[in-house]
Amino acid sequence: MRLNALKWARRETFCLSWAALGIYLFLSAFFWASGPAPLRAVFYVFLLLPFLLVLPWRKWRTEEYGGYFTISALVFAAYCVLSSLWGRAADFDFFLKQWFFLAFWLCGVAWLFYYRPVNLQRLYLVVICIGVVCSLVTVYFFYVYKNYSIAARLSGFGLAENSTIVAQIFGVAALLAYLKSLQEENWKLSPLFFIAAMVCALVILMSQSRGAAMALMLVCFAGLLIVRPRPLIWVPQVTLAIVGSLALFTLTNMDDVLEKRGISFSFRDAIWIELLDRSLERPLFGLGLERDSRIIIPDVDVFHHAHNSWIDILYYTGLIGLLLALWHWVLLAKSFSRDRDILPLYLWLAYGSLCLFTNGSNLLTRPDTQWLMYWVPAGLLAAVVMGRRRCLTR
């Protein structure tokens, strides 16, 4: 009996180390993965597998698995799975599998932080460094190797091949770098992180993705108001940003490019108005989820989703689904803290939520770029909050 307990303890210790490495690999994979399949392979091998070896065999203790944050998320996701029964019943198994992946991510990362907290500052630094390197590679690959003109919308490669997606992904690295520059106690290091933020933000600017750019600006401004760094920190940053912007617009025809983009909603306004109108037909329960959904708007086009996660949730799962999603979001927001380690996660979640307001589908998806916008920061945030509450009760 004692020997079995020792073997079990060794297994948990090994899986904790395995999953801790997996967190770094999974987050970095969003920047370098050649497509969704490699990203999911990293998730399956380095996170799902160690969680499977441990979690099903342990007693359920709510505080160890993310508490009411996890419960609210899984209740919302379970309702989404059920909605497929009145959407397309044949897709029930597909969405049940997504619930399974989400459950192991949320419970697993909470369990990891509960017993072996990950150094968040190191995690942010890794994401920033990888973001800077990949952003330079992306710009070089598109404008030098492929020889596209400056007027072309920058797109990445692999997972980030879409212009909007590449902006959303690198916006995360830009946000984390900017917050590091504000929080850095050594004023000599602050400019380095700010330059890193500008390099990552360059990808957003060249992609001409207005939704991601607006989301990043709003959240960065909120971060400035919350952190309130010394003038020695923010004055040089503002000066450098102005000089950099002037140089970009002087040396290139970026002003003409942005003028052509204008304030067009790219059919989003037509989609949103149409779906809000259709939602009135089944307001409570929605149309029901479908794996390969089609939104046909006569004289406009055929779309796969609403390009707004919150309207998409309302349309397919009704008011019940939307309220359950907001319940989870509000629970996370109510735990807000200015703590140096946790603040970036709250602002990351805010940034992702704003990005999903202009480009996103329902939240019950396989591990993909949409996870980086919502479930990754939500899972990390719940894990850190619950892990720290455990320390306070000791």
Side-chain angles (χ1 to χ4, degrees):
M1 194 75 175
R2 192 173 180 180
L3 183 61
N4 288 336
L6 183 60
K7 288 182 178 180
W8 176 252
R10 288 177 177 174
R11 181 198 290 188
E12 284 206 358
T13 301
F14 174 74
C15 288
L16 284 169
S17 301
W18 188 354
L21 173 63
I23 292 290
Y24 288 93
L25 293 176
F26 183 51
L27 290 186
S28 66
F30 284 97
F31 296 91
W32 53 257
S34 59
L39 174 70
R40 290 166 192 155
V42 171
F43 175 76
Y44 299 151
V45 174
F46 291 96
L47 289 172
L48 183 61
L49 189 52
F51 293 156
L52 275 171
L53 290 174
V54 174
L55 299 190
W57 322 112
R58 304 178 81 252
K59 289 183 178 179
W60 173 268
R61 294 182 60 191
T62 305
E63 66 274 13
E64 294 183 13
Y65 300 121
Y68 45 81
F69 301 117
T70 297
I71 292 173
S72 61
L74 295 184
V75 168
F76 158 70
Y79 174 75
C80 290
V81 175
L82 287 176
S83 74
S84 66
L85 295 177
W86 58 85
R88 188 169 183 272
D91 294 337
F92 179 84
D93 292 346
F94 172 80
F95 289 110
L96 183 61
K97 189 189 301 182
Q98 311 326 313
W99 185 92
F100 173 83
F101 292 149
L102 178 61
F104 271 91
W105 160 253
L106 295 176
C107 295
V109 74
W111 167 74
L112 170 64
F113 275 77
Y114 197 82
Y115 286 102
R116 181 177 172 167
V118 174
N119 187 319
L120 288 173
Q121 292 301 324
R122 184 188 302 156
L123 183 64
Y124 300 150
L125 185 60
V126 169
V127 172
I128 292 168
C129 291
I130 292 174
V132 168
V133 172
C134 291
S135 64
L136 294 173
V137 171
T138 298
V139 172
Y140 174 85
F141 181 78
F142 190 79
Y143 291 111
V144 179
Y145 183 78
K146 285 193 170 183
N147 199 30
Y148 279 100
S149 70
I150 197 72
R153 292 191 65 188
L154 173 69
S155 60
F157 47 86
L159 189 68
E161 61 183 357
N162 179 279
S163 297
T164 303
I165 297 301
V166 75
Q168 291 181 345
I169 290 175
F170 284 94
V172 173
L175 174 62
L176 295 179
Y178 178 67
L179 291 174
K180 284 282 287 184
S181 74
L182 296 180
Q183 295 175 327
E184 184 56 54
E185 296 177 357
N186 186 344
W187 66 270
K188 294 180 181 179
L189 292 179
S190 177
L192 294 178
F193 286 112
F194 186 70
I195 292 172
M198 291 187 68
V199 170
C200 296
L202 180 64
V203 173
I204 303 176
L205 181 63
M206 305 309 287
S207 73
Q208 303 172 34
S209 178
R210 294 156 298 176
M214 183 62 69
L216 182 63
M217 287 190 292
L218 288 174
V219 176
C220 284
F221 183 65
L224 180 62
L225 294 179
I226 294 170
V227 177
R228 287 179 287 186
R230 294 170 295 168
L232 188 64
I233 298 292
W234 68 265
V235 171
Q237 291 182 356
V238 173
T239 304
L240 184 59
I242 293 174
V243 171
S245 299
L246 289 175
L248 181 65
F249 281 89
T250 301
L251 300 175
T252 69
N253 63 337
M254 184 55 64
D255 53 338
D256 294 333
V257 172
L258 295 180
E259 185 178 353
K260 289 178 182 178
R261 288 284 288 164
I263 58 173
S264 167
F265 282 87
S266 302
F267 297 121
R268 282 174 172 78
D269 52 342
I271 302 171
W272 299 345
I273 292 172
E274 179 68 22
L275 294 192
L276 287 173
D277 185 55
R278 293 182 187 181
S279 297
L280 296 176
E281 299 174 6
R282 304 185 69 175
L284 285 180
F285 300 101
L287 194 67
L289 288 184
E290 296 182 21
R291 177 178 180 178
D292 190 22
S293 59
R294 290 287 189 276
I295 300 172
I296 303 173
I297 302 180
D299 301 325
V300 179
D301 208 337
V302 179
F303 305 94
H304 292 281
H305 55 78
H307 290 78
N308 182 318
S309 289
W310 315 108
I311 292 179
D312 207 69
I313 292 170
L314 174 65
Y315 179 61
Y316 286 107
T317 65
L319 279 172
I320 294 176
L322 181 60
L323 290 175
L324 288 174
L326 292 177
W327 174 39
H328 175 249
W329 196 95
V330 169
L331 285 177
L332 289 170
K334 286 178 66 176
S335 66
F336 178 77
S337 170
R338 296 172 182 265
D339 182 88
R340 185 171 183 269
D341 287 341
I342 307 179
L343 179 62
L345 293 177
Y346 287 104
L347 295 181
W348 180 354
L349 180 66
Y351 165 76
S353 299
L354 288 172
C355 283
L356 293 178
F357 194 85
T358 57
N359 187 70
S361 62
N362 73 83
L363 296 179
L364 190 61
T365 64
R366 289 175 287 185
D368 57 11
T369 53
Q370 211 166 261
W371 269 46
L372 187 66
M373 296 298 103
Y374 193 82
W375 292 122
V376 171
L380 292 174
L381 187 54
V384 174
V385 170
M386 295 304 295
R388 293 200 170 191
R389 287 181 183 177
R390 174 212 184 193
C391 295
L392 292 175
T393 56
R394 279 182 167 181

